[in-house]
Structures are given as C-alpha cells and as structure tokens.
C-alpha cells in the first residue's frame, strides 16, 4: 500500500471525527413524578430543553481535545503523504492520543450511566440513555485513524533518487605501464652511475 493511500485513510478518520463532533452523542431522560427532563450531550457539553436549565459545560467538554488531536493527526498525515519521515511517527502518536480521548469520553459516559442507573434503582425516578450516531461515528473515526496511522507507519519511506555511479574502468592484461586514467609513462631504462 502506498503512503499516500495510507495517509488518505488517516484523513478519512479525521473527517469522520469532525463530522461526529457536530452531532449529538447521547440523550438521557430523567423521569420523576414531578418533572420529566431530557438532556442532550455533545462533545462540548450538555443541554436541556427544560425551561431554566442552561447549556452546561461539564464532564463532556472534550470537543476541543478531539478537534486539536485530529488537527495534529491530519497535518502529520499530510506530511507523511509527502514523504517526511518524522511525520510517520507523529501520525501514529496523534492518532493514539485521539483514540485515548475518545476512549476517555466513552468510558466516562458509561460510568456516569452506571452511577445514575444505580441511584435510579434506589429511588423513584426512571433513567434511560440512548446513544446517538455521533458516538458511533466518533468511535469509528478513532478506529479508522489508528488503522490509517499504522498503515502510514508501515508504508515504505521515500528515499532520495539514487545517483548513477560513474563506471570505473580498470585495464588489465596490458603491456604498457599506464595506470588507469593516467598518462602513459614510457619505459626508460636507467643508466647506473
């Protein structure tokens, strides 16, 4: 696989991450006898449609971390596609950090869901969570980014064009005492003195 195709896979992972950051990640419904609230979580915070509840930036404010790591990953992939050797490692590192941010987001969401469901079991309210396509697309972007970074890392590096060597001609089996590429030296007999 060529390094340009591998870099294109990383760019696809970055594109999927950007699209997923624009989408909602999950919807949680808290249902009690006095109120019914619906919370929508994005990468940038949590919002509710209930009156008096503002947009809350909290635990899920990981959108900037996602976008920053994706930007570094995309720049490194472009440089790797052009054959810059150090960009191969940078692509792998950036994709790994991006995958770590995504794992942190998913694990924190699952942990919060588990805590609230445990509390809901002890109290009188109902709690339901629905994960939306943004979450699945974000996880897919992390997987595609990692696969692309590994492919970039494994792609053959661009080597400078080899310069043709000049041919060296060695004259063998000749009768004269001419050195290679030299001037013929006549045999002059020395007269002793």
């Amino acid at each position: 696989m060529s390094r340009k195709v591998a870099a294109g896979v990383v760019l696809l992972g970055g594109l999927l991450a950007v699209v997923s950051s624009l989408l909602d990640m999950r919807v949680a419904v808290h249902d009690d006898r006095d109120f019914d609230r619906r919370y929508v979580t994005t990468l940038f915070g949590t919002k509710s449609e209930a009156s008096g509840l503002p947009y809350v930036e909290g635990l899920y404010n990981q959108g900037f971390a996602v976008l920053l790591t994706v930007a570094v990953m995309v720049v490194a992939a472009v440089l790797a596609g052009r054959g810059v050797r150090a960009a191969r490692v940078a692509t792998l590192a950036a994709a790994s950090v991006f995958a770590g941010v995504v794992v942190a987001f998913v694990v924190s969401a699952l942990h919060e869901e588990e805590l609230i469901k445990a509390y809901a079991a002890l109290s009188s309210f109902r709690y339901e969570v629905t994960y939306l396509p943004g979450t699945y697309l974000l996880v897919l972007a992390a997987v595609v980014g990692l696969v692309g970074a590994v492919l970039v890392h494994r792609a053959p590096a661009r080597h400078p064009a080899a310069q043709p060597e000049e041919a060296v001609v060695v004259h063998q089996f000749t009768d004269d005492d001419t050195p290679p590429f030299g001037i013929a030296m006549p045999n002059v007999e020395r007269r002793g003195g």
Side-chain angles (χ1 to χ4, degrees), residues 14 17-19 21-22 43-44 62-73 98 101:
V18 169
V19 170
S21 72
L22 301 173
L43 281 178
F44 299 97
Q62 296 176 343
F64 295 112
V66 166
L67 294 179
L68 179 65
T69 56
V70 166
V72 171
M73 184 174 69
F98 169 61
V101 169

Side-chain angles (χ1 to χ4, degrees), residues 29-37 124-128:
V29 176
H30 296 262
D31 179 356
D32 197 354
R33 50 192 129 107
D34 296 334
F35 62 88
D36 184 9
R37 292 192 182 144
S124 63
F125 78 89
R126 181 178 59 92
Y127 178 76
E128 292 179 4

Side-chain angles (χ1 to χ4, degrees), residues 5 19 37 150 154 176 192:
V5 171
V19 170
R37 292 192 182 144
V150 169
R154 294 183 53 125
D176 60 354

